[in-house]
Amino acid sequence: MYIAFILCNFKQQFQYRASLYMRLVGNMIRIYIQVCIWQSLIQKEVPTDQTLIDLVSYTVIAFLIERLTHNETADTLAQKVKEGSIAIELIRPFSLKWYLFYQQLSENTFSFLFIGLPVALISAIFWHIRIAGVIELGLGFLSIVFAIFLSFNFQYAIGLLVFWVKDATYTRLITGGIVALFSGSLIPLWFYPETFKKICNFLPFRYMMFEPISIFLGQYTIKSCLDVLVIQLFWIVLLSLLAQFIWKNVQKSITIQGG
Amino acid sequence: MKRLFELYLAFAKVNFLTQLEYRGQYAIRMLSKVIGWSTGFISILFLLNKFKTIGNWTTYEVLFLYSLDVLSYSIAGTFFMGAFGKLPKLIQQGTFDEVLTKPINPFLYVICTRVSAGYTSNYIIAILIMALCFTKLDLNLTIGKFFWLCMVIIGATLIQSAGFILTAVPAFWILKSDGLQMLFFSNLTSFLRYPIDIYGRGIQILLTFILPYAFINYYPCQYFLGKNEYLFYPWFQYMTPLVGVLLFGIAYFTWKKGLNAYQSTGS
């Protein structure tokens, strides 16, 4: 299933090569801006525990994770609801959730391989990037896999709201805003004000971005790494139950447009 | 001209009314926009709360800088996002033909029919933050300065609008230009969030002479904040309205060219 999606998607994407180059350039710019900001901030007299290398590495890993957790489920759903083709999806012998998951994953694999990795490589040439060790690398990868599931379950649960809101632009803005703010994708949680940091502890979002990166950077002992993985699992279960609950309600109240 | 204006009003009214018709949806949209756009401000606040200054700019100076960007972007978006954001799609699908059959300048037609009411919340956020900066920074807003601020906002809006137009128009030739739009709006404009003196010389030249985006907020802010570290020439801080008019002129000219080159894809 996944393989089929991937092949189909790659073919589609390669059709628009110009668009791909633009995305490469655009993302390179984003990383460059962020590095400039760190360079400008870190030279200041305010002391930090993190070095410029840490921050640049953080930025690049965050960018890679973003490629993998990027999510347009809400848009896909909204499109289908508007056109009425959602009716067909509902009678397919395959759960809608996993259909959406594989579709998203295949898109993300593409953007990870052809945008994420090249940009990361170029960044590694320009700036110094450091990752802790082999064990951290392994645990970090596992943690990213969990982060993918975690983020998907959250986005999917919110995405289901388009059955009522009918327009994905807004659910996207809301989830985008919340994730950007609480996950640490814009700014590492190290620099957050204390109260805000505490709030983040009780939310699932830091486990989508900040924690996996911290593992890669070697900020944690092996034991705390394992703790992170367990908490990630806990949130995955909780959010998929939430998604399940919303989905039940959708099925009850769904109205199909046109035929 | 008078007829045009009436036409615009009629379209705008219909548009606003349809968007307001779904009140619950409108509320959710406003809420989502507030959340979406305040993250930018909040991230600036967090960073500068920790580091105090960035390239000699303090928290409220950076916020002022950013609010000018958001405000001009939102005003430009109100009129040009609906019209030009979807232009590549219209051209691709061939529905653009319909526009050409109307007995009115196509440029005005696409704008008038697609005015958006969705940016109200952005105005409010941006203006509130701007006002906050003025009080926090003890900037004395005299009538003269207020007048100049309005001119700067108009100029900046024209620059942003030109951006919308110039990134959409290539679709007349190559049919698909959304990659270009992405590059412009989600990547290049993020340079504007922070003072451009923190970037390399190449970027400063790019944003001043090639894509004069720095005139949207960086240069005019120098005047209002009384900064005297000039990147190129001190008189750049007064150039925003002129650059705006010029760039918009170029954008309009390119649109004309594109229109002439337009070949329907048929449908």
Side-chain angles (χ1 to χ4, degrees), chain B residues 55-181:
Chain B
N56 295 329
W57 289 58
T58 62
T59 313
Y60 288 101
E61 290 175 340
V62 179
L63 283 181
F64 181 55
L65 191 77
Y66 187 42
S67 66
L68 200 52
D69 175 35
V70 173
L71 184 61
S72 57
Y73 176 84
S74 309
I75 301 176
T78 306
F79 298 102
F80 294 92
M81 181 59 175
F84 290 93
K86 297 218 173 77
L87 187 69
K89 201 167 253 177
L90 283 185
I91 293 173
Q92 237 180 342
Q93 294 171 344
T95 23
F96 186 76
D97 291 2
E98 181 208 317
V99 175
L100 294 176
T101 60
K102 303 289 187 230
I104 167 182
N105 184 337
F107 186 72
L108 295 167
Y109 181 79
V110 286
I111 293 169
C112 289
T113 45
R114 292 180 179 78
V115 178
S116 158
Y119 289 92
T120 331
S121 54
N122 294 24
Y123 300 156
I124 298 170
I125 301 177
I127 290 173
L128 279 180
I129 302 256
M130 211 181 262
L132 180 75
C133 295
F134 268 102
T135 36
K136 286 278 181 184
L137 292 168
D138 269 334
L139 297 175
N140 201 355
L141 195 63
T142 58
I143 297 196
K145 270 194 180 167
F146 180 74
F147 173 72
W148 182 244
L149 182 63
C150 293
M151 292 298 285
V152 164
I153 291 172
I154 293 172
T157 304
L158 286 175
I159 300 177
Q160 301 263 24
S161 314
F164 278 113
I165 301 168
L166 286 173
T167 48
V169 162
F172 280 121
W173 291 280
I174 57 173
L175 296 183
K176 194 171 180 340
S177 75
D178 29 351
L180 194 64
Q181 286 177 324

Side-chain angles (χ1 to χ4, degrees), chain A residues 155-207:
Chain A
Q155 301 272 9
Y156 170 70
I158 301 294
L160 285 175
L161 297 181
V162 297
F163 281 100
W164 292 288
V165 200
K166 303 272 193 265
D167 195 332
T169 320
Y170 310 108
T171 55
R172 195 190 328 133
L173 272 174
I174 295 179
T175 51
I178 292 175
V179 171
L181 204 55
F182 293 100
S183 73
S185 66
L186 289 177
I187 302 169
L189 299 185
W190 304 313
F191 302 143
Y192 278 34
E194 283 306 318
T195 31
F196 210 83
K197 234 189 256 177
K198 284 202 188 96
I199 300 175
C200 292
N201 281 338
F202 297 102
L203 295 170
F205 307 108
R206 60 183 296 161
Y207 296 95

Side-chain angles (χ1 to χ4, degrees), chain B:
Chain B
M1 198 62 206
K2 189 169 159 282
R3 213 183 110 246
L4 252 177
F5 188 66
E6 280 169 6
L7 193 68
Y8 165 72
L9 276 186
F11 275 127
K13 206 174 136 199
V14 172
N15 251 314
F16 273 84
L17 284 179
T18 36
Q19 293 185 25
L20 285 171
E21 186 57 38
Y22 304 93
R23 214 146 298 163
Q25 261 199 50
Y26 191 76
I28 293 176
R29 286 168 52 179
M30 287 296 111
L31 178 77
S32 66
K33 290 221 165 182
V34 170
I35 293 176
W37 281 92
S38 28
T39 47
F41 287 108
I42 293 173
S43 68
I44 292 176
L45 269 177
F46 280 2
L47 264 192
L48 287 160
N49 177 42
K50 170 85 184 168
F51 291 96
K52 309 304 173 212
T53 58
I54 181 163
N56 295 329
W57 289 58
T58 62
T59 313
Y60 288 101
E61 290 175 340
V62 179
L63 283 181
F64 181 55
L65 191 77
Y66 187 42
S67 66
L68 200 52
D69 175 35
V70 173
L71 184 61
S72 57
Y73 176 84
S74 309
I75 301 176
T78 306
F79 298 102
F80 294 92
M81 181 59 175
F84 290 93
K86 297 218 173 77
L87 187 69
K89 201 167 253 177
L90 283 185
I91 293 173
Q92 237 180 342
Q93 294 171 344
T95 23
F96 186 76
D97 291 2
E98 181 208 317
V99 175
L100 294 176
T101 60
K102 303 289 187 230
I104 167 182
N105 184 337
F107 186 72
L108 295 167
Y109 181 79
V110 286
I111 293 169
C112 289
T113 45
R114 292 180 179 78
V115 178
S116 158
Y119 289 92
T120 331
S121 54
N122 294 24
Y123 300 156
I124 298 170
I125 301 177
I127 290 173
L128 279 180
I129 302 256
M130 211 181 262
L132 180 75
C133 295
F134 268 102
T135 36
K136 286 278 181 184
L137 292 168
D138 269 334
L139 297 175
N140 201 355
L141 195 63
T142 58
I143 297 196
K145 270 194 180 167
F146 180 74
F147 173 72
W148 182 244
L149 182 63
C150 293
M151 292 298 285
V152 164
I153 291 172
I154 293 172
T157 304
L158 286 175
I159 300 177
Q160 301 263 24
S161 314
F164 278 113
I165 301 168
L166 286 173
T167 48
V169 162
F172 280 121
W173 291 280
I174 57 173
L175 296 183
K176 194 171 180 340
S177 75
D178 29 351
L180 194 64
Q181 286 177 324
M182 275 271 288
L183 182 67
F184 252 72
F185 291 110
S186 59
N187 303 117
L188 282 175
T189 50
S190 24
F191 275 122
L192 301 181
R193 199 175 284 190
Y194 294 93
I196 63 166
D197 32 26
I198 67 167
Y199 306 119
R201 193 65 174 172
I203 298 294
Q204 290 168 2
I205 292 171
L206 173 80
L207 290 176
T208 306
F209 298 106
I210 301 164
L211 304 163
Y213 270 29
F215 287 96
I216 290 172
N217 61 359
Y218 180 77
Y219 291 118
C221 275
Q222 288 189 316
Y223 168 73
F224 287 105
L225 301 173
K227 297 261 168 205
N228 353 309
E229 298 141 358
Y230 303 112
L231 284 183
F232 297 98
Y233 301 102
W235 47 269
F236 272 6
Q237 52 186 313
Y238 308 112
M239 297 305 285
T240 302
L242 190 67
V243 172
V245 171
L246 258 172
L247 212 60
F248 193 81
I250 294 173
Y252 185 70
F253 180 75
T254 325
W255 153 268
K256 276 276 188 201
K257 281 268 168 215
L259 208 56
N260 283 337
Y262 173 67
Q263 289 172 328
S264 174
T265 54
S267 51

Side-chain angles (χ1 to χ4, degrees), chain A:
Chain A
M1 177 78 177
Y2 173 58
I3 307 278
F5 263 127
I6 281 214
L7 287 178
C8 180
N9 198 278
F10 279 24
K11 264 184 218 149
Q12 256 177 27
Q13 294 283 347
F14 275 122
Q15 292 291 313
Y16 301 108
R17 205 145 326 150
S19 176
L20 182 70
Y21 295 142
M22 302 257 191
R23 279 165 71 193
L24 270 173
V25 175
N27 284 306
M28 211 49 240
I29 291 174
R30 263 182 56 198
I31 305 253
Y32 170 74
I33 293 177
Q34 199 58 46
V35 172
C36 283
I37 294 169
W38 294 137
Q39 278 170 343
S40 167
L41 288 175
I42 215 89
Q43 292 160 358
K44 286 286 154 45
E45 39 306 340
V46 182
T48 47
D49 301 333
Q50 286 76 30
T51 59
L52 185 61
I53 297 176
D54 284 334
L55 288 170
V56 175
S57 312
Y58 187 101
T59 306
V60 173
I61 301 173
F63 169 72
L64 286 175
I65 297 182
E66 234 168 65
R67 293 305 99 214
L68 287 171
T69 55
H70 177 79
N71 199 299
E72 274 167 19
T73 308
D75 297 76
T76 318
L77 273 177
Q79 189 67 29
K80 290 189 191 300
V81 171
K82 248 182 212 161
E83 288 168 357
S85 63
I86 189 75
I88 302 161
E89 303 297 337
L90 290 176
I91 53 173
R92 280 214 175 124
F94 197 78
S95 122
L96 179 66
K97 179 177 172 179
W98 294 108
Y99 169 81
L100 291 169
F101 177 76
Y102 283 121
Q103 195 184 21
Q104 190 63 58
L105 193 63
S106 68
E107 272 173 42
N108 290 353
T109 314
F110 179 85
S111 106
F112 178 79
L113 289 178
F114 294 98
I115 294 169
L117 285 184
V119 169
L121 279 178
I122 298 170
S123 310
I125 295 169
F126 279 131
W127 304 290
H128 205 109
I129 290 175
R130 197 192 54 213
I131 287 168
V134 183
I135 303 170
E136 277 88 353
L137 204 65
L139 288 170
F141 274 124
L142 195 58
S143 177
I144 287 188
V145 173
F146 284 177
I148 293 172
F149 280 101
L150 179 53
S151 146
F152 176 77
N153 271 304
F154 169 71
Q155 301 272 9
Y156 170 70
I158 301 294
L160 285 175
L161 297 181
V162 297
F163 281 100
W164 292 288
V165 200
K166 303 272 193 265
D167 195 332
T169 320
Y170 310 108
T171 55
R172 195 190 328 133
L173 272 174
I174 295 179
T175 51
I178 292 175
V179 171
L181 204 55
F182 293 100
S183 73
S185 66
L186 289 177
I187 302 169
L189 299 185
W190 304 313
F191 302 143
Y192 278 34
E194 283 306 318
T195 31
F196 210 83
K197 234 189 256 177
K198 284 202 188 96
I199 300 175
C200 292
N201 281 338
F202 297 102
L203 295 170
F205 307 108
R206 60 183 296 161
Y207 296 95
M208 297 173 185
M209 187 63 76
F210 178 73
E211 300 293 349
I213 304 174
S214 298
I215 294 180
F216 272 116
L217 294 181
Q219 305 266 335
Y220 292 145
T221 57
I222 303 291
K223 194 189 161 295
S224 352
C225 290
L226 293 177
D227 286 346
V228 168
L229 292 174
V230 171
I231 301 175
Q232 278 184 316
L233 271 182
F234 163 76
W235 278 114
I236 292 174
V237 172
L238 202 69
L239 284 174
S240 45
L241 286 177
L242 175 74
Q244 189 72 29
F245 173 73
I246 298 179
W247 177 235
K248 282 267 157 59
N249 278 301
V250 166
Q251 281 175 314
K252 257 179 242 157
S253 63
I254 187 170
T255 46
I256 307 261
Q257 309 206 340

